[in-house]
Amino acid sequence: MSSPPPPPPRFLPLPRQQSLASPLVLNPFVQEARLDARQTSRAILLGIVLVPLRVTCMFLILLMAWPFALLATFGNMEKGAAPLSGWRRKVSCSVLRFFGRTLFFVMGFRVRVKGEVAGPEEAPILAAAPHSSFFDGIACIVAGLPSIVSRQENLAVPLIGRILYALQPVVVSRVDPDSRKNTINEITRRAASGGEWPQVLIFPEGTCTNRSCLITFKQGAFVPGAAVQPVLIRYPNKLDTVTWTWQGYNFKEALFLTLCQPFTKVEVEFLPVHVPAEEEKKDPILFANRVRNRMASALGVPVTDHTYEDCRLMISAGQLTLPMEAGLVEFTKISKKLNLKWDNIREQLDRFAAIASDARGGRIGIEEFAGYLKLPVSDVLKELFALFDRNGDGTIDFREYVIGLSVLCNPANTEQTIQMAFELFDIDEDGIIMEDEFALIVRSSLGLPDLDVSNLFKEIDADNSKKLSYEEFKNFALKHPEYAKLFTTYLELQLCQMSAETEASVLPAPKKPASPEKTSVPRNKICPQDAEDDHSSVSDKKED
């Protein structure tokens, strides 16, 4: 005689998808190297002599270069003007390049160049990385003063603005909503000019890092589909004073400490030109990634999907009294895979900070998670928490929280799911949920018959009417998708049990001793069947 089928299996989390695993790289936006007492004393002693001397020489060099820049650009300041040609171009390329090299020499830089820079017809665009300092402008000098991408405001800076204009920059305006599109169009126009315009030098990372990896390349240099020459920048010094990123030396500190050094070594390497294949011309992201991988291989560093938006999240995390590293989520990867926008992730950071405000280290433990949900720690809640806890260390960081909400909770928080959950609570089907109806389902779903849910009910009851309308229930569910996951888990458990009972009904009933009376759960149009005492969670964990 066949035995009855076993109880429905519990759906435990599946192995995590590697593509959403945390990056195995250091924080690329922090400069941790600091001077010890001996190095500080040495810098001060040398700085007493070197800094005044070098600053004076720098000012004199800029002062001498300014008339030549004025001469080269005089009468050619209109927007959209033609490229400099003839003697104007010769002045800007030869004389200003000489002054540029002299400027960096008196600042103490000793430059080593590897490879050959390609001509504008062979490679209209130069892509330089890693971008880690304002000193990276030395690559522009070495490359023969190609055009750069610069903010409109920089052209108004006295003395430097005119010199910058002589480089015929691609100008970006912060007040123009079409600035991004116009910039790409201008780069494309120059790349297709056949050498009429100078080459365009671009730092495709878009922000400064500590050179420990290459972050996401922006597409601007690759949209034109023109040949690109990769340019590598290295600072092989024992003491790093040049790195200028989001955490570490500020502008004045980096400049002062560098000027205090007897000399600073820098290497600029020009790799062979990368001519895009047809598939790369049609897909700028593919083009950018292949160039980045090639540059990372030559540098011997990894690549990550961090981007400028991670910096913004990092700063926001600091303002919310979280560790700044909490904002590092590899924005490019997360946004593409989960279809998230900047505003969504920024709002989730606020919510995460509210939960983690009392947590040490800015991570959420099971106690903080339960307190936020106004529920006790139970087996069901532990399973939900485990789905968020991607690395299994017993805590949730902001990256895990974003992925958990998007992969686990938000898909369950649809209008249909919310409607089903409301009908689940509305036991007498009168269109409203009373506190006793609400308590009965929550206690059943968590397997805690003595649970006090009055505080949670009051939070959902926005108008304090002591009854929940569908709109109140829906608004709360949309703002707190974690609850939708709990309730859909309960529904799935009921469906599994119903399926098992249906299968058992077609088999001969075995003889068995009478069992104790079972605890019943509410019957309604959603859950018409009795359920076992084990109301533990059934996860719908997707292979995310």
PDB file of all heavy atoms in Angstrom, residues 432-443:
ATOM      1  N   ILE A 432     -13.360  45.801   3.801  1.00  0.00           N
ATOM      2  CA  ILE A 432     -12.473  46.456   4.760  1.00  0.00           C
ATOM      3  C   ILE A 432     -11.816  45.379   5.622  1.00  0.00           C
ATOM      4  O   ILE A 432     -12.312  44.258   5.725  1.00  0.00           O
ATOM      5  CB  ILE A 432     -13.213  47.470   5.660  1.00  0.00           C
ATOM      6  CG1 ILE A 432     -14.339  46.771   6.434  1.00  0.00           C
ATOM      7  CG2 ILE A 432     -13.735  48.644   4.859  1.00  0.00           C
ATOM      8  CD1 ILE A 432     -14.989  47.652   7.465  1.00  0.00           C
ATOM      9  N   ILE A 433     -10.686  45.741   6.231  1.00  0.00           N
ATOM     10  CA  ILE A 433      -9.955  44.808   7.091  1.00  0.00           C
ATOM     11  C   ILE A 433      -9.987  45.351   8.508  1.00  0.00           C
ATOM     12  O   ILE A 433      -9.511  46.470   8.770  1.00  0.00           O
ATOM     13  CB  ILE A 433      -8.502  44.638   6.629  1.00  0.00           C
ATOM     14  CG1 ILE A 433      -8.430  44.125   5.192  1.00  0.00           C
ATOM     15  CG2 ILE A 433      -7.742  43.684   7.556  1.00  0.00           C
ATOM     16  CD1 ILE A 433      -7.020  44.101   4.622  1.00  0.00           C
ATOM     17  N   MET A 434     -10.542  44.575   9.420  1.00  0.00           N
ATOM     18  CA  MET A 434     -10.530  44.933  10.830  1.00  0.00           C
ATOM     19  C   MET A 434      -9.246  44.383  11.467  1.00  0.00           C
ATOM     20  O   MET A 434      -8.582  43.504  10.925  1.00  0.00           O
ATOM     21  CB  MET A 434     -11.756  44.372  11.535  1.00  0.00           C
ATOM     22  CG  MET A 434     -13.078  44.795  10.909  1.00  0.00           C
ATOM     23  SD  MET A 434     -13.282  46.601  10.800  1.00  0.00           S
ATOM     24  CE  MET A 434     -13.410  47.012  12.542  1.00  0.00           C
ATOM     25  N   GLU A 435      -8.937  44.903  12.646  1.00  0.00           N
ATOM     26  CA  GLU A 435      -7.686  44.507  13.285  1.00  0.00           C
ATOM     27  C   GLU A 435      -7.655  43.023  13.617  1.00  0.00           C
ATOM     28  O   GLU A 435      -6.604  42.380  13.496  1.00  0.00           O
ATOM     29  CB  GLU A 435      -7.443  45.328  14.554  1.00  0.00           C
ATOM     30  CG  GLU A 435      -6.083  45.038  15.186  1.00  0.00           C
ATOM     31  CD  GLU A 435      -5.739  45.990  16.310  1.00  0.00           C
ATOM     32  OE1 GLU A 435      -6.414  47.035  16.444  1.00  0.00           O
ATOM     33  OE2 GLU A 435      -4.780  45.685  17.060  1.00  0.00           O
ATOM     34  N   ASP A 436      -8.794  42.442  14.014  1.00  0.00           N
ATOM     35  CA  ASP A 436      -8.783  41.027  14.347  1.00  0.00           C
ATOM     36  C   ASP A 436      -8.560  40.162  13.108  1.00  0.00           C
ATOM     37  O   ASP A 436      -7.907  39.123  13.166  1.00  0.00           O
ATOM     38  CB  ASP A 436     -10.081  40.642  15.055  1.00  0.00           C
ATOM     39  CG  ASP A 436     -11.311  40.951  14.210  1.00  0.00           C
ATOM     40  OD1 ASP A 436     -11.182  41.729  13.243  1.00  0.00           O
ATOM     41  OD2 ASP A 436     -12.390  40.412  14.526  1.00  0.00           O
ATOM     42  N   GLU A 437      -9.096  40.602  11.939  1.00  0.00           N
ATOM     43  CA  GLU A 437      -8.852  39.876  10.694  1.00  0.00           C
ATOM     44  C   GLU A 437      -7.370  39.968  10.316  1.00  0.00           C
ATOM     45  O   GLU A 437      -6.741  38.976   9.923  1.00  0.00           O
ATOM     46  CB  GLU A 437      -9.699  40.460   9.560  1.00  0.00           C
ATOM     47  CG  GLU A 437     -11.192  40.304   9.746  1.00  0.00           C
ATOM     48  CD  GLU A 437     -11.968  41.004   8.643  1.00  0.00           C
ATOM     49  OE1 GLU A 437     -11.710  42.197   8.392  1.00  0.00           O
ATOM     50  OE2 GLU A 437     -12.828  40.351   8.025  1.00  0.00           O
ATOM     51  N   PHE A 438      -6.832  41.154  10.462  1.00  0.00           N
ATOM     52  CA  PHE A 438      -5.430  41.389  10.127  1.00  0.00           C
ATOM     53  C   PHE A 438      -4.532  40.540  11.031  1.00  0.00           C
ATOM     54  O   PHE A 438      -3.593  39.880  10.563  1.00  0.00           O
ATOM     55  CB  PHE A 438      -5.113  42.881  10.288  1.00  0.00           C
ATOM     56  CG  PHE A 438      -3.704  43.258   9.950  1.00  0.00           C
ATOM     57  CD1 PHE A 438      -3.301  43.410   8.636  1.00  0.00           C
ATOM     58  CD2 PHE A 438      -2.763  43.460  10.951  1.00  0.00           C
ATOM     59  CE1 PHE A 438      -2.001  43.759   8.318  1.00  0.00           C
ATOM     60  CE2 PHE A 438      -1.460  43.806  10.653  1.00  0.00           C
ATOM     61  CZ  PHE A 438      -1.082  43.961   9.330  1.00  0.00           C
ATOM     62  N   ALA A 439      -4.810  40.540  12.305  1.00  0.00           N
ATOM     63  CA  ALA A 439      -3.983  39.794  13.259  1.00  0.00           C
ATOM     64  C   ALA A 439      -4.024  38.300  12.980  1.00  0.00           C
ATOM     65  O   ALA A 439      -3.008  37.606  13.088  1.00  0.00           O
ATOM     66  CB  ALA A 439      -4.453  40.098  14.678  1.00  0.00           C
ATOM     67  N   LEU A 440      -5.216  37.782  12.620  1.00  0.00           N
ATOM     68  CA  LEU A 440      -5.366  36.349  12.393  1.00  0.00           C
ATOM     69  C   LEU A 440      -4.454  35.859  11.277  1.00  0.00           C
ATOM     70  O   LEU A 440      -3.771  34.833  11.397  1.00  0.00           O
ATOM     71  CB  LEU A 440      -6.832  36.029  12.080  1.00  0.00           C
ATOM     72  CG  LEU A 440      -7.217  34.545  12.002  1.00  0.00           C
ATOM     73  CD1 LEU A 440      -6.905  33.850  13.317  1.00  0.00           C
ATOM     74  CD2 LEU A 440      -8.682  34.397  11.647  1.00  0.00           C
ATOM     75  N   ILE A 441      -4.418  36.596  10.160  1.00  0.00           N
ATOM     76  CA  ILE A 441      -3.596  36.189   9.025  1.00  0.00           C
ATOM     77  C   ILE A 441      -2.109  36.345   9.335  1.00  0.00           C
ATOM     78  O   ILE A 441      -1.290  35.480   9.024  1.00  0.00           O
ATOM     79  CB  ILE A 441      -3.973  36.978   7.761  1.00  0.00           C
ATOM     80  CG1 ILE A 441      -5.387  36.636   7.327  1.00  0.00           C
ATOM     81  CG2 ILE A 441      -2.998  36.692   6.631  1.00  0.00           C
ATOM     82  CD1 ILE A 441      -5.559  35.193   6.919  1.00  0.00           C
ATOM     83  N   VAL A 442      -1.713  37.483   9.933  1.00  0.00           N
ATOM     84  CA  VAL A 442      -0.301  37.700  10.229  1.00  0.00           C
ATOM     85  C   VAL A 442       0.210  36.637  11.195  1.00  0.00           C
ATOM     86  O   VAL A 442       1.299  36.079  11.029  1.00  0.00           O
ATOM     87  CB  VAL A 442      -0.071  39.110  10.801  1.00  0.00           C
ATOM     88  CG1 VAL A 442       1.377  39.275  11.254  1.00  0.00           C
ATOM     89  CG2 VAL A 442      -0.395  40.171   9.748  1.00  0.00           C
ATOM     90  N   ARG A 443      -0.583  36.342  12.221  1.00  0.00           N
ATOM     91  CA  ARG A 443      -0.177  35.305  13.169  1.00  0.00           C
ATOM     92  C   ARG A 443      -0.045  33.950  12.489  1.00  0.00           C
ATOM     93  O   ARG A 443       0.883  33.176  12.752  1.00  0.00           O
ATOM     94  CB  ARG A 443      -1.192  35.228  14.312  1.00  0.00           C
ATOM     95  CG  ARG A 443      -1.150  36.428  15.247  1.00  0.00           C
ATOM     96  CD  ARG A 443      -2.372  36.461  16.147  1.00  0.00           C
ATOM     97  NE  ARG A 443      -2.352  37.620  17.023  1.00  0.00           N
ATOM     98  CZ  ARG A 443      -3.427  38.064  17.682  1.00  0.00           C
ATOM     99  NH1 ARG A 443      -4.586  37.435  17.562  1.00  0.00           N
ATOM    100  NH2 ARG A 443      -3.318  39.132  18.453  1.00  0.00           N
TER     101      ARG A 443
END
